[in-house]
Coordinates of all heavy atoms in Angstrom, one line a residue:
H83 N 110.9 153.2 33.0 CA 111.3 152.9 34.3 C 112.5 153.8 34.7 O 113.5 153.9 33.9 CB 111.7 151.5 34.5 CG 111.7 151.0 35.9 ND1 112.6 151.5 36.9 CD2 111.0 150.1 36.6 CE1 112.4 150.8 38.0 NE2 111.3 150.0 37.9
A84 N 112.4 154.5 35.9 CA 113.5 155.5 36.2 C 114.8 154.7 36.9 O 115.8 155.3 37.0 CB 113.0 156.5 37.2
D85 N 114.6 153.5 37.3 CA 115.8 152.8 38.0 C 115.7 151.4 37.7 O 115.6 150.6 38.6 CB 115.6 153.0 39.5 CG 116.8 152.6 40.3 OD1 117.9 152.6 39.7 OD2 116.6 152.3 41.4
L86 N 115.8 151.0 36.4 CA 115.6 149.6 36.0 C 117.0 148.9 36.1 O 117.9 149.3 35.4 CB 115.1 149.6 34.6 CG 114.7 148.2 34.0 CD1 113.6 147.5 34.8 CD2 114.3 148.3 32.6
H87 N 117.0 148.0 37.0 CA 118.3 147.1 37.2 C 117.8 145.8 37.7 O 116.6 145.5 38.0 CB 119.2 147.8 38.1 CG 118.7 148.1 39.4 ND1 118.5 147.3 40.4 CD2 118.3 149.4 39.9 CE1 118.1 147.9 41.5 NE2 117.9 149.1 41.2
A88 N 118.8 144.9 37.9 CA 118.4 143.5 38.2 C 117.8 143.4 39.7 O 117.0 142.5 39.9 CB 119.7 142.6 38.2
G89 N 118.1 144.3 40.5 CA 117.6 144.4 41.9 C 116.1 144.7 41.9 O 115.4 144.5 42.8
N90 N 115.6 145.4 40.8 CA 114.1 145.6 40.6 C 113.4 144.7 39.7 O 112.3 145.0 39.2 CB 114.0 147.1 40.1 CG 114.0 148.1 41.3 OD1 113.7 147.7 42.4 ND2 114.6 149.3 41.0
L91 N 114.0 143.6 39.5 CA 113.4 142.4 38.7 C 113.2 141.2 39.6 O 114.2 140.6 39.9 CB 114.2 142.1 37.4 CG 114.3 143.2 36.4 CD1 115.2 142.8 35.3 CD2 113.0 143.7 35.9
L92 N 112.1 140.9 39.9 CA 111.8 139.8 40.9 C 111.5 138.5 40.1 O 110.6 138.5 39.3 CB 110.6 140.1 41.8 CG 110.2 139.1 42.9 CD1 111.2 139.1 44.0 CD2 108.8 139.4 43.4
W93 N 112.3 137.5 40.5 CA 112.0 136.1 39.9 C 111.0 135.5 40.9 O 111.2 135.2 42.0 CB 113.2 135.3 39.9 CG 113.0 133.9 39.3 CD1 112.8 132.8 40.1 CD2 112.9 133.6 37.9 NE1 112.6 131.7 39.2 CE2 112.6 132.1 37.9 CE3 113.0 134.3 36.8 CZ2 112.6 131.5 36.7 CZ3 112.8 133.6 35.6 CH2 112.6 132.3 35.5
S94 N 109.7 135.5 40.4 CA 108.6 135.0 41.2 C 108.4 133.6 41.1 O 108.5 133.0 40.1 CB 107.3 135.8 40.7 OG 106.2 135.3 41.4
V95 N 108.1 133.0 42.3 CA 107.9 131.5 42.3 C 106.6 131.2 41.6 O 106.6 130.2 40.9 CB 107.8 131.1 43.8 CG1 107.4 129.6 43.9 CG2 109.1 131.4 44.5
G96 N 105.6 132.1 41.7 CA 104.4 131.8 40.9 C 104.4 132.3 39.5 O 105.2 133.2 39.2
E97 N 103.6 132.0 38.7 CA 103.5 132.5 37.4 C 102.8 133.8 37.4 O 101.7 134.1 37.8 CB 102.7 131.5 36.5 CG 103.3 130.2 36.2 CD 104.7 130.3 35.5 OE1 104.8 131.3 34.7 OE2 105.6 129.5 35.6
G98 N 103.5 134.9 36.7 CA 103.0 136.1 36.6 C 102.1 136.3 35.3 O 102.1 135.3 34.5
P99 N 101.7 137.5 35.0 CA 100.9 137.6 33.8 C 101.6 137.5 32.5 O 101.1 137.2 31.5 CB 100.3 139.2 33.9 CG 101.3 139.8 34.8 CD 101.8 138.7 35.8
S100 N 103.0 137.7 32.5 CA 103.8 137.6 31.4 C 105.0 136.8 31.6 O 106.1 137.0 31.1 CB 104.2 139.0 30.8 OG 103.1 139.8 30.5
G101 N 105.0 135.8 32.5 CA 106.1 135.0 32.8 C 106.4 135.1 34.3 O 105.6 135.3 35.1
R102 N 107.7 134.8 34.7 CA 108.1 134.7 36.1 C 108.9 135.9 36.5 O 109.3 135.9 37.7 CB 108.9 133.4 36.2 CG 108.0 132.2 35.8 CD 108.7 130.9 36.2 NE 108.8 130.7 37.7 CZ 109.5 129.7 38.2 NH1 110.2 128.8 37.4 NH2 109.6 129.5 39.4
V103 N 109.1 136.9 35.8 CA 109.8 138.1 36.2 C 108.8 139.2 36.5 O 107.9 139.5 35.5 CB 110.8 138.5 35.3 CG1 111.3 139.9 35.6 CG2 112.1 137.5 35.3
L104 N 108.8 139.8 37.6 CA 107.9 140.9 38.0 C 108.8 142.2 38.2 O 109.7 142.2 38.9 CB 107.2 140.7 39.2 CG 106.0 141.6 39.7 CD1 104.9 141.5 38.7 CD2 105.5 141.2 41.1
V105 N 108.4 143.3 37.5 CA 109.1 144.5 37.6 C 108.6 145.3 38.9 O 107.4 145.5 39.0 CB 108.8 145.4 36.4 CG1 109.6 146.7 36.5 CG2 109.2 144.6 35.1
L106 N 109.6 145.7 39.7 CA 109.3 146.4 41.0 C 109.6 147.9 40.8 O 110.4 148.3 40.0 CB 110.1 145.7 42.1 CG 109.9 144.3 42.3 CD1 110.9 143.8 43.4 CD2 108.5 143.8 42.5
D107 N 109.0 148.6 41.8 CA 109.5 150.0 42.1 C 109.3 151.0 40.9 O 110.4 151.3 40.2 CB 110.9 150.0 42.6 CG 111.3 151.3 43.3 OD1 110.4 152.3 43.3 OD2 112.4 151.5 43.6
L108 N 108.1 151.4 40.6 CA 107.9 152.4 39.5 C 108.0 153.8 40.0 O 107.5 154.7 39.3 CB 106.6 152.1 38.9 CG 106.5 150.9 38.0 CD1 105.1 150.8 37.3 CD2 107.5 150.6 37.1
D109 N 108.6 154.0 41.1 CA 108.8 155.4 41.6 C 109.6 156.3 40.5 O 110.6 155.8 40.0 CB 109.7 155.4 42.9 CG 109.9 156.8 43.5 OD1 109.1 157.7 43.1 OD2 110.9 157.0 44.2
R110 N 109.0 157.4 40.2 CA 109.5 158.3 39.2 C 109.5 157.7 37.8 O 110.1 158.3 36.7 CB 111.0 158.7 39.4 CG 111.1 159.6 40.7 CD 112.5 160.1 40.9 NE 112.7 161.0 42.0 CZ 112.4 162.2 42.0 NH1 112.0 162.8 41.0 NH2 112.6 162.9 43.2
A111 N 108.8 156.5 37.5 CA 108.7 156.0 36.2 C 107.8 157.1 35.4 O 107.0 157.8 35.9 CB 108.0 154.7 36.2

């Protein structure tokens, strides 16, 4: 990930595929 920080980690209300945190914004990943 080119810009991995807490602002690009979403605490999702619903259950995701690997828990409740969803990684956002893969621009330039």
Side-chain angles (χ1 to χ4, degrees):
H83 199 295
D85 190 27
L86 188 61
H87 56 78
N90 278 330
L91 298 176
L92 182 74
W93 182 260
S94 177
V95 173
E97 292 294 332
S100 301
R102 299 185 68 186
V103 167
L104 188 67
V105 181
L106 307 177
D107 193 2
L108 292 185
D109 181 25
R110 292 186 180 275

